[in-house]
Amino acid sequence: MQQNQVSALAGIKVLDLSRVLAGPWATQMLADFGADVVKIEPPLKGDDTRGWGPPFIQSEQSSDAAYFHTANRNKQSVAIDFSKAEGQALIHRLAAESDVLVENFKVGGLAKYGLDYASLQALNPRLIYCSITGFGQSGPLASQPGYDFMIQAMGGLMSITGEPNGAPMKVGVALADILTGLYACNAIQAALLYRHATGLGQHIDLALLDVQIASLANQAMNYLVSGESPTRLGNAHPNIVPYQSFATADGHIILAIGNDQQFARFCTLPGCESLLHRPEFSTNAQRVKYRDQLVPLLAQILLTQPSDWWLTQLEAQSVPCGPINTLAGAFANPQVQHRQMQRQFTGKNGQAQPFVGNPIQFSQSPVQYNSPPPALGQHTEFVLQQRLGLSEQDIAHLAKLGVINPQTQD
C-alpha cells in the first residue's frame, strides 16, 4: 500500500513483548506512525489471539484469527523462547539496540529472565520501558492478574452501562484494553520527547484499572462533586437532555441535542412547536431537571413519523441526530467509505485481507500500511541476521535447541 513516505516515528525501534490487546494496540499505533516494531512470540503457539476464532483469515503463510489481525499489522514476528538462557541473551541484545520495549506480564514476571526494567535499563539507559498490567506496579492488588471484563466491572463502567432496571452491562468491545493501549502510545511518545531533551529513558507504569477510572470522565467528576454514584440511564445522558435514542414509527434513531439553540430549532419541526415556550424546558439545566416530563412527550412525538423522515427533517435544521447502524450499516456509510476506514491488504496470490484503518490523518507524515499481521516467526531469521549479525549456522543451532521457531520464513 503506502510505501517510501516520511513517517513520524521513522528510525524508532520498538521491541514488543506484549500479547492480546492493550500492548499490541499501542505497538500497532507506533508501527502505523512508522516505528520499526519487532513482536516477540513463543515459538510454538505465538500470541494467544492467533487462536481466538472463528472467524479466521487465511493467508499464504498462516491461518490466524481475525482478532489477532486487529492489532498486529506493520510488525515483524520473531519467535523466541526466552525461558531458555539463549533466548534471554537474544532479547538482551535486541533490547540493547531498541528505543522502546512494551510488555504486559504480571508484576515481576520478567525479572526471573533478566528482562525487567532494572536489568535492561542497565544495558540501555536510553530505553523507554512500558509495563501494562491490570493494577499497576504497586498497591495491594499489584500482583493480581487483570482482564478487561473484570476491570470494566471494578472500575465502575458497568454500573453506568445498561438500562436503568436491567443488569449491569459491559461495553461491547474491550474498551479498557483499547484505551490503555492509546494511553500507552501517548506516554511512549512523550517519553521519546523527554529522552530527546535529556538523553534519558524511563519506566512507564500503566494499569488498566487506572485507565478505566480516568476514562469515566464527566461521570467520575459528577460523583466527586456530588458524592452520589451515577446510575444506569440506558442510552440517555446524565448531563444533557434530550440526548438518547428514541423509537420512531419504523425503528429507532438517536437525538443528540447539545445546546439550547439546537433544542429551539428542534421545536420548529411539525408536532414539536408546543415545547418551545415551556419554561421547564427552556434551558438544558431545566431539561435535565424535568427529564421525566420531557422525554415521554418526545417519545410520543417521534413515534408519529418513520426514521428517514425524522433524520431528513432534523438534518435540515442542523439538529444532531443519526441512525442506529449495524456494523454492516456503519461500514456502508458514505462518510466512513470516504474516510477509507475499511481497507485491505492484497496478498501475492491476489487474496484480499480486510482491516480497519487508522483514524488519524496527518498532513505531512501519513499513516503507513506496509504489511499485514505476520505469520508466527515469519521474520525470525531476517531480524536475527540483520540486527544481531547471526549467521545461518547460529540460527540453525538455536532452532535445534528450540530457542527460536524452526519454521521461520523470509
Side-chain angles (χ1 to χ4, degrees), residues 276-294:
L276 180 59
H277 300 296
R278 293 182 59 166
E280 66 270 37
F281 306 147
S282 60
T283 66
N284 181 70
Q286 287 289 92
R287 292 192 294 275
V288 171
K289 181 178 179 180
Y290 292 101
R291 177 197 305 266
D292 292 343
Q293 294 183 27
L294 176 58

Side-chain angles (χ1 to χ4, degrees), residues 61-356:
Q61 297 167 326
S62 64
S63 177
D64 293 311
Y67 198 117
F68 176 78
H69 283 249
T70 298
N72 289 288
R73 67 173 170 260
N74 289 335
K75 302 179 185 180
Q76 300 176 88
S77 173
V78 174
I80 297 177
D81 182 356
F82 56 72
S83 68
K84 302 180 188 298
E86 296 87 349
Q88 294 160 26
L90 293 175
I91 302 297
H92 285 157
R93 292 180 63 183
L94 288 169
E97 52 117 56
S98 293
D99 299 290
V100 177
L101 184 149
V102 179
E103 60 90 9
N104 61 349
F105 285 77
K106 289 177 63 176
V107 172
L110 290 176
K112 60 185 176 183
Y113 306 121
L115 302 178
D116 56 305
Y117 173 65
S119 299
L120 296 184
Q121 190 268 346
L123 289 175
N124 181 2
R126 291 172 56 82
L127 182 66
I128 294 162
Y129 188 111
C130 180
S131 296
I132 298 174
T133 57
F135 301 101
Q137 299 294 305
S138 62
L141 296 180
S143 64
Q144 300 300 310
Y147 300 93
D148 179 273
F149 188 13
M150 61 184 286
I151 295 298
Q152 288 195 34
M154 294 179 69
L157 183 60
M158 289 180 63
S159 75
I160 56 174
T161 305
E163 292 298 326
N165 297 319
M169 191 67 61
K170 71 178 181 66
V171 179
V173 295
L175 192 62
D177 277 338
I178 290 170
L179 290 172
T180 301
L182 294 176
Y183 270 96
C185 186
N186 276 318
I188 288 165
Q189 291 177 93
L192 285 168
L193 289 173
Y194 179 82
R195 191 186 71 176
H196 180 72
T198 67
L200 298 175
Q202 60 182 298
H203 188 201
I204 300 169
D205 172 10
L206 264 173
L208 269 68
L209 183 61
D210 295 350
V211 169
Q212 182 60 85
I213 295 293
S215 302
L216 292 174
N218 59 299
Q219 293 281 36
M221 283 301 296
N222 289 347
Y223 164 71
L224 292 177
V225 171
S226 70
E228 298 179 4
S229 292
T231 57
R232 294 187 297 281
L233 293 173
N235 289 321
H237 195 288
N239 302 110
I240 309 172
V241 175
Y243 198 99
Q244 64 184 79
S245 60
F246 287 95
T248 66
D250 64 350
H252 292 80
I253 65 169
I254 64 102
L255 193 60
I257 293 178
N259 58 51
D260 297 337
Q261 293 75 26
Q262 291 171 359
F263 185 73
R265 293 198 298 272
F266 170 79
C267 291
T268 66
L269 297 179
C272 307
E273 300 90 344
S274 63
L275 303 176
L276 180 59
H277 300 296
R278 293 182 59 166
E280 66 270 37
F281 306 147
S282 60
T283 66
N284 181 70
Q286 287 289 92
R287 292 192 294 275
V288 171
K289 181 178 179 180
Y290 292 101
R291 177 197 305 266
D292 292 343
Q293 294 183 27
L294 176 58
V295 170
L297 295 174
L298 295 177
Q300 291 179 355
I301 294 170
L302 271 292
L303 281 171
T304 62
Q305 298 289 346
S307 295
D308 284 346
W309 187 92
W310 280 114
L311 294 173
T312 300
Q313 297 293 323
L314 291 164
E315 289 171 1
Q317 293 296 325
S318 298
V319 175
C321 62
I324 300 175
N325 287 327
T326 62
L327 292 192
F331 280 105
N333 186 303
Q335 182 66 20
V336 174
Q337 293 181 349
H338 174 80
R339 301 289 287 183
Q340 296 184 283
M341 289 306 297
Q342 180 176 348
R343 293 174 176 262
Q344 68 179 34
F345 291 108
T346 302
K348 294 177 181 178
N349 62 0
Q351 181 183 17
Q353 295 184 35
F355 68 96
V356 181

